[in-house]
Amino acid sequence: MIEEKRILLYALLAFFLLIIAYVDIQKKRIPNALTLCVLILGVLQPATQENFLCAFILGSFTGTLSYIYYAYKKINGLGMGDIKLFTVCGFWLTFAEIPFFIALTGMSGILWGLVWQHITHEKKFPFAPCIGLGVLTTLLLR
């Protein structure tokens, strides 16, 4: 029963991340309602104190990184939707998984950004597909 619940939650997570990625690609924004769905699913799995701390760590990390980038370049590197999605992904991860998640998301972001710029000739690209790929791959390799 517990394993069936986990499979269902992972499937729902993948479903919502796919919708988020699609919307981000189409509109360059991540709706709060969809991010909230990922948060609710993360809390339902059930979340532990470690998950809450992971969410805090990821939110603090991406928020700080975005602030530093803005202070240096005077342009936004990450949108608030990306920061919020990164944060709620912490509810799905453990401390040990955070470095892999960040590295995989960052590397896929670099590759996706290069492909996006080559195809669209736009400098800004939707990052939600990379975040979704990072968290789902991390969970599948668990």
Side-chain angles (χ1 to χ4, degrees), residues 3 11 53 113 115 119:
E3 192 60 32
L53 285 172
V115 169
I119 293 171

Side-chain angles (χ1 to χ4, degrees), residues 1 10 17 21 23 40 47-48 53 65 71 91 98 102 104-105 125:
M1 179 70 170
Y10 282 13
L17 289 173
V23 171
I40 291 168
T48 64
L53 285 172
L65 188 67
F91 282 96
I98 288 177
I102 291 172
L104 180 61
T105 302
F125 63 95

Side-chain angles (χ1 to χ4, degrees), residues 73-119:
K73 291 278 203 170
K74 301 298 185 226
I75 57 172
N76 289 323
L78 287 174
M80 285 306 299
D82 297 320
I83 294 170
K84 289 182 274 187
L85 184 58
F86 235 96
T87 302
V88 300
C89 284
F91 282 96
W92 292 89
L93 303 172
T94 65
F95 289 129
E97 293 167 334
I98 288 177
F100 179 77
F101 167 69
I102 291 172
L104 180 61
T105 302
M107 288 186 291
S108 65
I110 291 169
L111 292 173
W112 172 243
L114 291 172
V115 169
W116 183 266
Q117 287 178 12
H118 179 74
I119 293 171

